[in-house]
Amino acid sequence: MNLTAATAADAPAMASAHAQAFDSPWDEADFEDLLDSTGVFGFVVRAEDPAGVLICRTIAGEAEILTVGVAPWARRRGIGQALMTAAIGVAREAGAQAMFLEVDVANDGAVALYRRLGFERAGLRRAYYDRGAKGRADALVMRLDLTSGPD
């Protein structure tokens, strides 16, 4: 596994990993625009191919995971945990006191990972995700206290 801090030049690899992980993926321009924004950082993991991606924004003492995804063929290899651990470290260094994210309530693997990392339920967004013909899915809002020391 090769986890690196992302730059706009990594947008093609990030878009590739995102397209493998999500039904409605972001494109290269989305990643380029975000990575050029103040307070935004990201990571990309390459294995055989782009395998994982994470984008986070820090502002006003908080960090928000905007997207995190791992290609199906690369799951259960520690990539999601590596991405999240890296983001938590950068957010702490940036002075964020809390980190937030949304996750599909039905994504048991991701919810379990976030709980292992110390995230707790902070709320619920009803019908947050559009699943097309499958309807809408609720999102669990999770929060991590970043003031309690490294994970």
Side-chain angles (χ1 to χ4, degrees), residues 2-88:
N2 180 17
L3 185 148
T4 57
T7 67
D10 293 305
M14 297 177 87
S16 173
H18 205 263
Q20 294 175 68
F22 295 100
D23 293 333
S24 298
W26 296 359
D27 63 23
E28 291 179 28
D30 294 326
F31 286 102
E32 289 171 358
D33 291 345
L34 280 167
L35 288 167
D36 285 338
S37 301
T38 302
V40 174
F41 63 89
F43 296 97
V44 63
V45 172
R46 292 175 178 87
E48 299 91 50
D49 291 309
V53 60
L54 180 144
I55 294 284
C56 184
R57 172 178 41 215
T58 58
I59 188 167
E62 294 183 349
E64 178 186 10
I65 300 294
L66 301 176
T67 192
V68 58
V70 177
W73 61 266
R75 292 181 182 154
R76 313 236 9 114
R77 296 184 188 183
I79 292 171
Q81 182 165 336
L83 287 163
M84 289 298 298
T85 300
I88 291 166

Side-chain angles (χ1 to χ4, degrees), residues 76 103-116:
R76 313 236 9 114
V103 60
D104 189 323
V105 295
N107 190 340
D108 295 332
V111 171
L113 168 63
Y114 303 144
R115 286 201 168 120
R116 280 195 309 273

Side-chain angles (χ1 to χ4, degrees), residues 138-150:
D138 294 344
L140 182 62
V141 180
M142 300 187 82
R143 179 187 185 276
L144 175 67
D145 179 359
L146 295 176
T147 63
S148 62

